[in-house]
Amino acid sequence: MTGIRLTAPAPGWAIDADVVVVGSGVAGLTTALRCAAAGLDTVVVTKARLDDGSTRWAQGGIAAALGEGDTPEQHLDDTLVAGAGLCDEEAVRTLVTEGPDAVRRLIDTGAHFDTTDSGDIALTREGGHHRRRIAHAGGDATGAEISRALVGAVREAALHTIENALVLDLLTDAEGRTAGVSLHVMGEGQHDGVGAVRAPSVVLATGGMGQVFSATTNPPVSTGDGVALALRAGAEVSDLEFVQFHPTVLFLGADSEGQQPLVSEAVRGEGAHLVDGDGVRFMLGQHELAELAPRDIVAKAITRRMLDRGTEHMYLDARHFGARMWEQRFPTILAACRSHGIDPVTEPIPVAPAAHYASGGVRTDLRGRTTVPGLYACGEVACTGVHGANRLASNSLLEGLVFAERIAADIAGARPPRTEPAGSPDADGPVPLLAPEARAAIQRTMTRGAGVLRSADSLATAAEELEALHRDAAADAEGPRDAKAVVPGVDAWEVTNLLLVSRVLVAAARDREETRGCHWREDRPDRDDAHSRRHLVVRIAPDRTPVVHRTETAAFPPVRPSD
């Protein structure tokens, strides 16, 4: 345990439970429903409303071997290829073998997927898949349908939920075991101000950290809070350098920031072409799957073409779909494009890569357990080993389903007793908070230095700029009493979390001196299997510096020494 905590008021209220699940996407709500079904007193804490997480924004679908002729083994092969040598094969095998039944249980929960005329689940293809195995709903509104079904089930089960709540830090007992979380409710929830949920099992399902970059497909709530909490609690994170940039995000201008509209990979799965300004299909000859190559390959190809042509975007051409297909298969994307003055029925869509998905996260085993006893992680916040160096399209929703069920089973089997949280003083004092206006500076630094294109020089500059922000915050906190201090609050806590996860991401990216998966080093363009087919595991030392450790093999070490 590090004893590191955010600067925040002491909890003014507390409730007790067996399990607290932080997050309300597919991973969090599935975990909560399964825990409640097992008779565990379960509390769901979510940063906004129940349906405001990343799951709702998922367009393409959920991958599983559900179609005739498809098998889990074929799904495994495609996942391993996309992961560029760093997938944990046992984790992938767990995903693809347990996945089909997990999807069927999701349907039993109330999710409605699109079907064919014969009543079978309609399946499409996306990048990296050699078969049609992507189940979708509402054409391109899969995440919204899954969220609707799970939120409905949670409300029907009358689970205790706390909305509009930012989780701050992990609470631990005298033995260093999980004892709950502190959190701040933002005025619209059941409680106001800083409080605590005391529980012996905490499940992080907080989603991603796309907001560390200027342009992302992630919603505003994706500020890396779960990864930051875990790091402060002493947990290990891994593979954080592997940030997947979605190749086809609607280009709104070079200065556009924040959440950007996604143009799903399923559009290419149905036959759309990537072209440059002259209408040339530049993916032909680059990969056997052309536009349906794994995302890292497509993102790199788009970026290279942009550099070669001196342009800020490429185009996705799906005019040949016709109006009816656009309206029926991709109504959400069609509406988003038209709202920005682009009509895909009559003109190509301007697209460029943007930060999309964190393949790494809090390191777990196959039961979702982290290196801190009682703390679990699931979904995008976790690193199970499934994604390796690059996530295969539409495996994320499936990972959330499969490992959520495994976590619930582990907690229900263990049923750890409730214990009292113990004080955990930080010898150096609480973490100094950054002023909210530092958010834009972090995002610009990360976009320039650790975006799609990286190099030793760009990463060194990013590290220096991030460390300067860290030092300045510490200096301000130690300044004279009459100096204006940063007031604890949601904006300050979020930007402080962003700085921590950015520092760790850059530390890992500097250490990985090769190009692999979605980590592209211009100065190290080749993959180095002899020396770098390893995982980078990072923790925060008590002095708050990132400590990077390279595993001895491509396999993860156990999360517990006794395992």
Side-chain angles (χ1 to χ4, degrees):
M1 300 300 296
T2 66
I4 301 173
R5 296 286 185 270
L6 285 172
T7 299
W13 53 268
I15 59 176
D16 294 305
D18 296 320
V19 185
V20 55
V21 177
V22 186
S24 59
V26 62
L29 295 187
T30 301
T31 303
L33 286 167
R34 298 293 184 269
C35 285
L40 296 165
D41 185 0
T42 305
V43 173
V44 177
V45 176
T46 188
K47 194 173 179 181
R49 306 296 294 178
L50 275 179
D51 62 352
D52 277 345
S54 293
T55 292
R56 180 165 66 92
W57 297 98
Q59 294 175 344
I62 184 166
L66 297 165
E68 184 178 353
D70 197 6
T71 64
E73 199 69 24
Q74 293 176 68
H75 190 182
L76 180 142
D77 289 343
D78 285 346
T79 302
L80 294 181
V81 169
L86 278 185
C87 294
D88 181 293
E89 186 166 340
E90 186 180 0
V92 178
R93 194 170 295 281
T94 298
L95 178 83
V96 300
T97 55
E98 297 181 10
D101 284 342
V103 172
R104 295 183 184 103
R105 283 188 288 272
L106 178 62
I107 294 171
D108 292 340
T109 303
H112 300 292
F113 290 95
D114 296 338
T115 57
T116 64
D117 293 340
S118 61
D120 296 326
I121 295 175
L123 301 172
T124 189
R125 279 182 68 194
E126 290 185 355
H129 293 273
H130 282 78
R131 282 192 176 272
R132 286 182 170 264
R133 65 167 67 96
I134 316 299
H136 48 84
D140 58 358
T142 310
E145 170 58 19
I146 290 173
S147 181
R148 182 206 61 77
L150 291 174
V151 168
V154 164
R155 288 178 173 151
E156 184 177 349
L159 290 189
H160 188 165
T161 61
I162 304 176
E163 296 179 290
N164 301 294
L166 172 64
V167 170
L168 302 176
D169 281 305
L170 190 73
L171 303 176
T172 54
D173 63 18
E175 304 300 319
R177 183 183 169 80
T178 293
V181 291
S182 59
L183 66 158
H184 172 79
V185 181
M186 297 174 247
E188 298 179 25
Q190 183 175 343
H191 308 274
D192 289 329
V194 175
V197 180
R198 298 181 298 211
S201 298
V202 171
V203 182
L204 296 178
T206 52
M209 55 185 187
Q211 292 291 329
V212 301
F213 296 97
S214 297
T216 177
T217 63
N218 289 190
V221 294
S222 298
T223 51
D225 307 317
V227 171
L229 176 150
L231 283 164
R232 288 192 296 271
E236 293 178 351
V237 304
S238 187
D239 299 352
L240 221 60
E241 68 272 28
F242 296 118
V243 177
Q244 187 176 79
F245 287 77
H246 199 287
T248 53
V249 175
L250 182 62
F251 181 75
L252 301 180
D255 297 328
S256 59
E257 296 182 342
Q259 187 177 11
Q260 312 287 301
L262 176 67
V263 182
S264 170
E265 199 152 309
V267 178
R268 281 175 281 139
E270 296 292 351
H273 303 145
L274 280 165
V275 298
D276 60 21
D278 294 328
V280 176
R281 284 183 66 188
F282 55 88
M283 284 305 300
L284 295 176
Q286 300 242 6
H287 189 276
E288 60 165 334
L289 295 177
E291 281 89 357
L292 287 178
R295 287 179 178 175
D296 63 309
I297 294 172
V298 180
K300 290 172 188 176
I302 291 174
T303 304
R304 285 194 182 104
R305 196 72 166 191
M306 286 161 50
L307 290 172
D308 290 344
R309 302 296 299 268
T311 60
E312 296 174 325
H313 61 82
M314 290 286 109
Y315 293 94
L316 189 64
D317 192 351
R319 289 174 290 180
H320 54 285
F321 285 4
R324 183 179 180 185
M325 180 173 175
W326 267 111
E327 290 163 358
Q328 294 183 352
R329 181 67 178 85
F330 300 111
T332 307
I333 298 170
L334 179 63
C337 289
R338 284 178 169 171
S339 72
H340 291 284
I342 304 295
D343 188 351
V345 177
T346 60
E347 60 188 316
I349 307 167
V351 293
H356 182 57
Y357 190 87
S359 293
V362 185
R363 190 168 78 83
T364 74
D365 64 9
L366 297 187
R367 289 184 275 172
R369 303 182 304 169
T370 74
T371 52
V372 174
L375 179 65
Y376 297 78
C378 190
E380 189 173 355
V381 71
C383 181
T384 61
V386 159
H387 304 307
N390 184 47
R391 175 180 66 104
L392 181 65
S394 289
N395 268 357
S396 50
L397 291 175
L398 190 71
E399 182 193 33
L401 274 182
V402 168
F403 287 90
E405 293 184 342
R406 288 180 145 255
I407 288 172
D410 191 74
I411 295 172
R415 293 184 182 266
R418 299 178 184 180
T419 57
E420 286 295 317
S424 183
D426 183 352
D428 296 323
V431 173
L433 299 180
L434 271 72
E437 52 265 28
R439 182 174 184 140
I442 293 170
Q443 292 171 332
R444 286 193 295 268
T445 290
M446 292 298 290
T447 299
R448 286 194 305 261
V452 179
L453 301 178
R454 301 170 178 178
S455 68
D457 289 344
S458 76
L459 290 166
T461 299
E464 290 170 7
E465 293 174 357
L466 295 172
E467 289 307 313
L469 289 170
H470 179 68
R471 288 193 304 270
D472 289 348
D476 290 344
E478 296 172 0
R481 290 188 177 182
D482 58 352
K484 186 177 181 181
V486 177
V487 178
V490 173
D491 291 341
W493 289 321
E494 282 187 336
V495 73
T496 303
N497 285 340
L498 286 172
L499 179 62
L500 176 56
V501 297
S502 295
R503 291 171 65 217
V504 171
L505 190 161
V506 169
R510 294 182 75 184
D511 195 279
R512 184 167 293 283
E513 296 181 327
E514 63 161 355
T515 288
R516 182 183 296 272
C518 52
H519 173 68
W520 185 13
R521 287 280 298 261
E522 291 181 281
D523 54 334
R524 302 278 185 166
D526 298 321
R527 182 167 138 178
D528 182 5
D529 280 346
H531 302 97
S532 296
R533 191 167 170 252
R534 307 285 189 272
H535 296 279
L536 299 180
V537 176
V538 189
R539 60 180 177 81
I540 293 294
D543 67 358
R544 303 171 187 168
T545 59
V547 178
V548 182
H549 167 70
R550 187 178 294 257
T551 61
E552 295 181 1
T553 69
F556 276 129
V559 298
R560 305 278 192 274
S562 59
D563 290 349

